[in-house]
């Protein structure tokens, strides 16, 4: 059997290694149009920032090591330029000489990945404007910084790559401005969770210009003049990080089925519309594990799994890919951001009958030094309590908790299951009631009717005419440092003694710092005949969103989309 593989990173390299482990006699040829295979794609920004100092550390395998370990014929600087599915051969161009040759196959695996979007912006072809996709891009960018000593960088796009590049450019000694067309960074997050990231990036010195599209880039006197929707900034260099698209021109020319995004359509075995051609990685259409909808999720973890699955099926082991749930984690300076499953934007668009909870929990026992809080947002189905998605922003332990919830989602868990989980505990690592358990407890209380929530986007529409009671249960000192307009201060510990001040005929809306004291207050009030609602996430979440958002503009929320206006 002869198998050709197009693309030597992530999915392609994984498929090649798996094929060899399953079949020692198989002839395997791997084509890579670049100079490197199996490199640390996700580590590239950290070389720019000096966290990874040795260029060689980015290269996980070389053609020589792959040959020695797996007996695979790796051909770098060889670009597959066409596929003839009917006669089962490809045409390959040697990029160093321009020679074109053909190679036959029994099976073909496509793993071309995705390419950075370069919008049709006048001036974006300047040699001071960079993208970051591969090793060559990385070295070019690093060499520019080392040789030209730029002082100010503009990052166009606030997604994963944009956020990572902002951090690492700051570490490289540059002033950084992030220009993002949307009203928030990191599209996988909902706006309420992204707000904490905005504040943290600004605290670290990054200037955020949100809700700003770039109109043009002009090089003037050795610097870039970047014209946006709302003004002009200058920078010595720019990184274009506005997203990626599937690199499927080769598949299109071969007549393989593509979807409206241009992604290669595959079945659950990673087989394309041609039974002898498989496709894996960022170039393929996947099924969202939670919703069942077809989607595009360019992540390294799924790519590696898909490569393995394609190799298994070619080798006669029936294996299926069961969908992508978008589990991801991101370092933003000393903040960790993680997400899995559906976010609220997706749940709303898909028509789910869902609710959400916000909890703040310490990363480990509060009495053990060095911990920090994490904010956990969980989306769940009303009625069943099935977990639909989660987003976590915090410091230590964020990745661990998101992995636990990602696993729970994969097995169809409910909030009751989160409450029942028995997780590892010792003071340096967790609390006896783990943050995941706490999220489960809070949702369990909602499902069981022990408390009713209201949310940060409901606060502005609450009447201030005396028809409802608005109450802040924090201490007077906390209240004096900042509170929501219209909320009177009755501290939790004096609530029972002051019940006579409240009118049982009026609903009570309660706020505390993170939601815990508000829950206790509602339990007291409900047992004395009051109808009570607790602000999920408390004043801390509210203040994160409304206190001082990026751009120094007060946030105005569209009540239908629960997003900033004009988002």
């Amino acid at each position: 059997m002869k198998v050709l593989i197009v693309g030597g990173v992530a999915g392609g390299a994984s498929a090649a290694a798996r094929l060899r482990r399953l079949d020692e006699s198989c002839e395997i040829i791997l084509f890579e149009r670049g100079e490197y295979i199996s490199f640390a794609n996700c580590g590239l920004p950290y070389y720019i920032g000096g966290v990874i100092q040795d260029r060689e550390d980015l290269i996980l395998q070389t053609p020589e090591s792959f040959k020695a370990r797996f007996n695979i014929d790796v051909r770098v600087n060889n670009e597959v330029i066409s596929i003839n599915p009917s006669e089962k051969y490809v045409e390959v161009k040697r990029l160093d000489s321009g020679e074109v040759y053909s190679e036959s196959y029994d099976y073909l695996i496509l793993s071309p990945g995705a390419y950075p979007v370069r919008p049709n912006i006048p001036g974006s072809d300047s040699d001071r404007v960079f993208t970051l996709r591969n090793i060559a891009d990385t070295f070019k960018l690093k060499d520019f910084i080392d040789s030209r000593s730029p002082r100010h960088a503009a990052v166009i796009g606030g997604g994963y790559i944009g956020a990572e590049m902002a951090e690492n450019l700051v570490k490289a000694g540059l002033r950084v401005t992030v220009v993002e067309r949307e009203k928030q960074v990191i599209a996988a997050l909902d706006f309420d969770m992204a707000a904490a990231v905005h504040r943290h990036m600004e605290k670290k010195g990054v200037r955020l210009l949100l809700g700003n599209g770039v109109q043009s880039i002009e090089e003037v006197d050795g610097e870039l003049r970047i014209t946006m929707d709302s003004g002009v900034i200058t920078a010595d260099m720019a990184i274009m990080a506005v997203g990626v698209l599937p690199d499927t021109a080769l598949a299109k020319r071969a007549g393989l089925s593509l979807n409206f995004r241009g992604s290669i359509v595959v079945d659950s075995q990673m087989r394309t519309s041609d039974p002898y051609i498989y496709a894996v990685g960022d170039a393929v259409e996947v099924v969202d594990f939670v919703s069942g909808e077809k989607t595009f999720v360019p992540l390294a973890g799924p790519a590696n799994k898909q490569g393995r699955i394609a190799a298994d099926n070619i080798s006669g082991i029936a294996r299926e890919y069961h969908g992508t749930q978008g589990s991801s984690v991101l370092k933003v300076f000393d903040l960790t951001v993680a997400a899995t499953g559906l976010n609220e934007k997706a749940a709303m668009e898909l028509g789910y009958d869902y609710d959400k909870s916000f909890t703040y929990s310490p990363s480990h026992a509060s009495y053990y030094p060095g911990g920090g809080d994490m904010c956990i947002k969980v989306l769940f189905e009303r009625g069943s309590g099935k977990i639909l998605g989660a987003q976590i922003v915090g410091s230590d332990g964020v990745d661990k908790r998101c992995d636990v919830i990602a696993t729970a989602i994969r097995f169809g868990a409910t909030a009751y299951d989160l409450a029942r989980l028995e997780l590892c505990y010792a003071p340096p690592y967790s609390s006896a009631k783990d943050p995941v358990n706490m999220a489960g407890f809070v949702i369990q209380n909602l499902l069981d009717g022990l408390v009713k929530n209201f949310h940060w986007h409901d606060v502005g529409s609450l009447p201030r005419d005396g028809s409802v009671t608005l109450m802040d249960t924090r201490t007077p000192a906390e209240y004096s440092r900042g509170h929501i307009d219209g909320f009177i201060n009755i501290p939790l510990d004096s609530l029972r003694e002051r019940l006579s001040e409240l009118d049982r005929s009026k609903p009570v809306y309660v706020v505390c710092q993170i939601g815990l004291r508000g829950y206790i207050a509602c339990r007291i009030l409900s047992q004395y005949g009051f109808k009570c609602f607790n602000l999920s996430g408390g004043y801390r979440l509210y203040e994160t969103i409304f206190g001082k958002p990026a751009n120094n503009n007060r946030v105005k929320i569209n009540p239908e989309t629960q997003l900033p206006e004009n988002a």
Side-chain angles (χ1 to χ4, degrees):
M1 182 169 64
K2 182 178 180 180
V3 179
L4 306 183
I5 301 173
V6 180
V9 185
S14 293
R18 178 67 171 175
L19 273 171
R20 175 58 72 225
R21 290 194 295 269
L22 294 175
D23 188 346
E24 185 64 22
S25 65
C26 181
E27 181 182 1
I28 305 170
I29 304 175
L30 189 153
F31 301 100
E32 170 55 50
R33 65 186 169 196
E35 186 179 350
Y36 304 94
I37 63 161
S38 192
F39 58 85
N41 200 307
C42 297
L44 299 182
Y46 299 99
Y47 178 69
I48 303 299
V51 179
I52 299 171
Q53 297 186 357
D54 191 338
R55 292 186 177 202
E56 298 305 315
D57 290 341
L58 295 172
I59 303 167
L60 307 179
Q61 291 280 357
T62 65
E64 294 76 20
S65 66
F66 228 49
K67 176 68 175 177
R69 176 67 57 87
F70 297 109
N71 191 27
I72 291 170
D73 181 359
V74 177
R75 302 179 187 178
V76 296
N77 296 315
N78 276 244
E79 181 178 7
V80 176
I81 57 175
S82 69
I83 303 168
N84 188 320
S86 60
E87 298 185 40
K88 296 174 70 176
Y89 72 86
V90 301
E91 287 189 318
V92 188
K93 183 178 182 179
R94 290 190 173 97
L95 298 180
D96 53 358
S97 66
E99 176 192 354
V100 176
Y101 65 96
S102 62
E103 198 73 61
S104 63
Y105 64 83
D106 294 309
Y107 290 98
L108 175 65
I109 300 176
L110 301 179
S111 183
Y115 63 90
V117 176
R118 276 200 97 129
N120 188 24
I121 297 173
S124 61
D125 57 350
S126 166
D127 62 4
R128 290 176 175 267
V129 179
F130 300 86
T131 58
L132 192 69
R133 182 194 187 192
N134 52 37
I135 293 278
D137 291 343
T138 307
F139 292 168
K140 181 181 177 183
L141 178 53
K142 186 68 161 62
D143 290 344
F144 181 89
I145 293 172
D146 292 343
S147 63
R148 307 284 281 275
S149 300
R151 294 170 299 171
H152 181 200
V155 177
I156 302 171
Y160 287 109
I161 295 297
E164 288 176 337
M165 283 305 304
E167 173 188 349
N168 283 283
L169 288 167
V170 168
K171 288 182 176 178
L174 282 77
R175 290 183 294 113
V176 177
T177 299
V178 173
V179 183
E180 167 58 51
R181 182 181 296 276
E182 301 300 323
K183 292 285 188 176
Q184 68 171 79
V185 300
I186 310 174
L189 298 181
D190 291 315
F191 173 76
D192 41 33
M193 298 298 284
V197 183
H198 299 163
R199 288 195 158 204
H200 192 73
M201 293 179 74
E202 291 181 321
K203 180 180 177 182
K204 294 296 183 177
V206 176
R207 182 186 183 195
L208 293 180
L209 298 177
L210 305 178
N212 264 295
V214 173
Q215 302 298 323
S216 66
I217 301 173
E218 183 182 7
E219 189 169 343
V220 180
D221 296 330
E223 66 179 11
L224 298 176
R225 181 181 173 88
I226 301 171
T227 302
M228 308 171 299
D229 294 338
S230 64
V232 177
I233 61 169
T234 59
D236 300 309
M237 61 183 296
I239 290 84
M240 197 68 71
V242 297
V244 297
L245 290 173
D247 192 352
T248 54
L250 177 65
K252 183 177 181 179
R253 292 196 299 269
L256 300 180
S257 293
L258 308 181
N259 68 9
F260 70 96
R261 288 189 182 93
S263 298
I264 303 171
V265 176
V266 294
D267 63 16
S268 62
Q269 295 183 320
M270 308 312 299
R271 188 184 293 113
T272 70
S273 54
D274 184 298
Y276 298 99
I277 301 177
Y278 290 73
V280 302
D282 295 352
V284 306
E285 175 186 78
V286 295
V287 174
D288 184 286
F289 176 78
V290 178
S291 70
E293 299 289 317
K294 301 294 179 65
T295 187
F296 171 60
V297 184
L299 292 171
N304 280 277
K305 294 179 183 67
Q306 292 161 8
R308 178 184 175 94
I309 288 169
D312 283 357
N313 284 298
I314 288 172
S315 300
I317 301 174
R319 200 82 71 193
E320 290 186 300
Y321 185 68
H322 292 286
T324 299
Q325 64 191 71
S327 299
S328 59
V329 66
L330 173 70
K331 179 180 179 294
V332 185
F333 296 94
D334 48 3
L335 197 70
T336 302
V337 179
T340 187
L342 298 182
N343 60 24
E344 191 168 0
K345 294 186 291 285
M348 192 179 298
E349 290 170 0
L350 293 168
Y352 276 87
D353 182 18
Y354 73 93
D355 201 351
K356 58 195 174 189
S357 71
F358 297 89
T359 54
Y360 286 90
S361 297
S363 57
H364 57 248
S366 58
Y367 56 81
Y368 188 90
D373 276 351
M374 64 183 75
C375 181
I376 303 179
K377 177 179 183 177
V378 179
L379 268 64
F380 60 95
E381 276 188 333
R382 287 193 174 94
S384 71
K386 183 179 179 180
I387 305 301
L388 301 175
Q391 299 159 51
I392 311 180
V393 177
S395 53
D396 294 342
V398 166
D399 53 339
K400 167 185 173 179
R401 275 57 183 223
C402 199
D403 281 341
V404 171
I405 298 177
T407 304
I409 290 173
R410 182 61 60 161
F411 291 102
T414 68
Y416 297 103
D417 295 313
L418 296 188
R420 283 192 289 259
L421 286 175
E422 184 177 330
L423 302 172
C424 299
Y425 163 61
Y429 302 105
S430 184
S431 300
K433 295 177 182 178
D434 188 86
V436 173
N437 295 136
M438 290 303 299
F441 294 152
V442 168
I443 300 171
Q444 188 179 61
N445 286 336
L446 291 168
L447 294 170
D448 291 348
L450 293 178
V451 67
K452 296 181 185 297
N453 275 354
F454 69 109
H455 294 288
W456 59 268
H457 49 78
D458 301 320
V459 172
S461 61
L462 292 176
R464 264 70 171 181
D465 59 2
S467 60
V468 301
T469 300
L470 306 178
M471 184 171 69
D472 188 321
T473 63
R474 296 175 299 156
T475 66
E478 291 173 295
Y479 183 83
S480 67
R481 287 194 292 267
H483 58 270
I484 303 173
D485 292 344
F487 280 71
I488 62 171
N489 185 212
I490 301 181
L492 173 64
D493 292 344
S494 59
L495 176 59
R496 290 182 180 86
E497 289 73 35
R498 298 179 62 178
L499 287 176
S500 61
E501 299 176 26
L502 305 177
D503 185 344
R504 283 182 174 79
S505 67
K506 296 178 181 180
V508 182
Y509 290 83
V510 176
V511 60
C512 68
Q513 185 64 16
I514 62 172
L516 176 58
R517 282 174 286 178
Y519 162 66
I520 297 171
C522 275
R523 290 303 305 145
I524 294 171
L525 291 168
S526 64
Q527 293 178 75
Y528 282 96
F530 291 86
K531 186 176 183 181
C532 188
F533 300 86
N534 183 34
L535 179 61
S536 186
Y539 182 77
R540 180 170 175 178
L541 178 65
Y542 182 88
E543 195 272 339
T544 298
I545 296 167
F546 292 103
K548 183 184 175 296
N551 302 331
N552 296 315
N553 293 325
R554 186 164 179 79
V555 180
K556 295 181 179 179
I557 301 300
N558 182 321
E560 293 184 1
T561 64
Q562 298 173 15
L563 291 170
E565 289 183 357
N566 303 319

